[in-house]
Amino acid sequence: MLWVYIGGGVLIIVAIIYNAFVVRSNRVNNAFASIDVFLKQRADLIPSLIETVKGYMGHEEKVLKTLAEIRSQSTTNQGRSDSRVLSENQLTADVQRIFVQVENYPELKASTNFLQLQRSMNEVEAQLSASRRAFNASVTEYNNLVQSFPSNLMARIFGFKDRYFFAIPEDNRAAFEVRPNANFSAS
């Protein structure tokens, strides 16, 4: 009889921990879904940005080509996969790099088309920034559960793994030289 109570107690504990994983995983997915709209808006603005700056930044062709390639990857890499998070992180870094490089082109900075695109991108990036903070908070809760004892044992059994944060990759952070009069929104 004692073994039945112990077995029942263990089963209840396993169910509680498993359900905690499900709840936190669903929070991460929900937070990701809320930023998906802004990611689509940004992806829709990027071709216009590339076309606007292409004439002024001809020798920056490699940067523009990379931006176009990453944008293409992010639009074809749908869902909530870690590879999508990584490609969106790279896209954010490359868009910011473009805005930093624009500082070297006064005639581009004065262009009406560019100013309108910059305002639109700033709005979308501000909304993305807020959504990323909510997503990253959800990922932190989830990852804490995956990494903490004894739930980490359950994570291994049921296949729950750490999730990636939305953030600028470390190797891109040092590449930015932000000037005091730069007019863009960083995430």
Side-chain angles (χ1 to χ4, degrees), residues 175-186:
F176 298 130
E177 178 187 327
V178 180
R179 297 191 178 122
N181 62 351
N183 185 17
F184 68 94
S185 175

Side-chain angles (χ1 to χ4, degrees):
M1 189 67 160
L2 177 63
W3 292 109
V4 171
Y5 290 121
I6 292 172
V10 168
L11 187 59
I12 289 171
I13 291 170
V14 167
I16 289 171
I17 292 173
Y18 181 83
N19 288 339
F21 278 114
V22 170
V23 166
R24 283 174 180 82
S25 179
N26 287 338
R27 283 182 192 158
V28 170
N29 293 339
N30 182 37
F32 189 89
S34 72
I35 67 172
D36 206 28
V37 171
F38 302 121
L39 293 174
K40 172 75 170 108
Q41 286 176 350
R42 181 180 64 182
D44 290 345
L45 287 171
I46 288 174
S48 298
L49 177 66
I50 291 171
E51 286 304 312
T52 301
V53 301
K54 192 183 286 184
Y56 295 95
M57 301 173 73
H59 67 281
E60 307 287 357
E61 190 67 32
K62 181 180 175 192
V63 173
L64 297 174
K65 183 178 178 191
T66 301
L67 184 62
E69 288 171 358
I70 292 173
R71 183 234 178 229
S72 176
Q73 287 174 0
S74 76
T75 57
T76 58
N77 190 10
Q78 296 300 312
R80 294 178 250 313
S81 68
D82 289 336
S83 61
R84 172 126 187 249
V85 171
L86 294 174
S87 68
E88 292 294 344
N89 287 343
Q90 184 63 48
L91 187 60
T92 298
D94 288 342
V95 168
Q96 289 177 347
R97 186 176 295 116
I98 291 291
F99 282 114
V100 168
Q101 290 177 350
V102 162
E103 290 297 313
N104 297 322
Y105 302 90
E107 63 279 359
L108 175 59
K109 286 182 2 183
S111 162
T112 306
N113 288 344
F114 179 76
L115 291 173
Q116 179 59 40
L117 276 170
Q118 188 177 34
R119 277 192 292 279
S120 296
M121 285 295 262
N122 286 344
E123 289 172 15
V124 170
E125 288 297 329
Q127 292 166 334
L128 271 171
S129 180
S131 296
R132 281 186 191 116
R133 284 190 297 274
F135 175 81
N136 286 344
S138 296
V139 168
T140 298
E141 284 183 25
Y142 173 83
N143 285 351
N144 285 342
L145 189 63
V146 168
Q147 297 168 8
S148 299
F149 181 80
S151 59
N152 63 344
L153 301 174
M154 296 285 296
R156 283 190 213 128
I157 292 169
F158 290 111
F160 292 101
K161 296 182 183 340
D162 283 348
R163 300 284 295 263
Y164 286 99
F165 292 99
F166 265 109
I168 298 172
E170 281 298 322
D171 59 335
N172 287 333
R173 290 176 191 223
F176 298 130
E177 178 187 327
V178 180
R179 297 191 178 122
N181 62 351
N183 185 17
F184 68 94
S185 175
S187 298

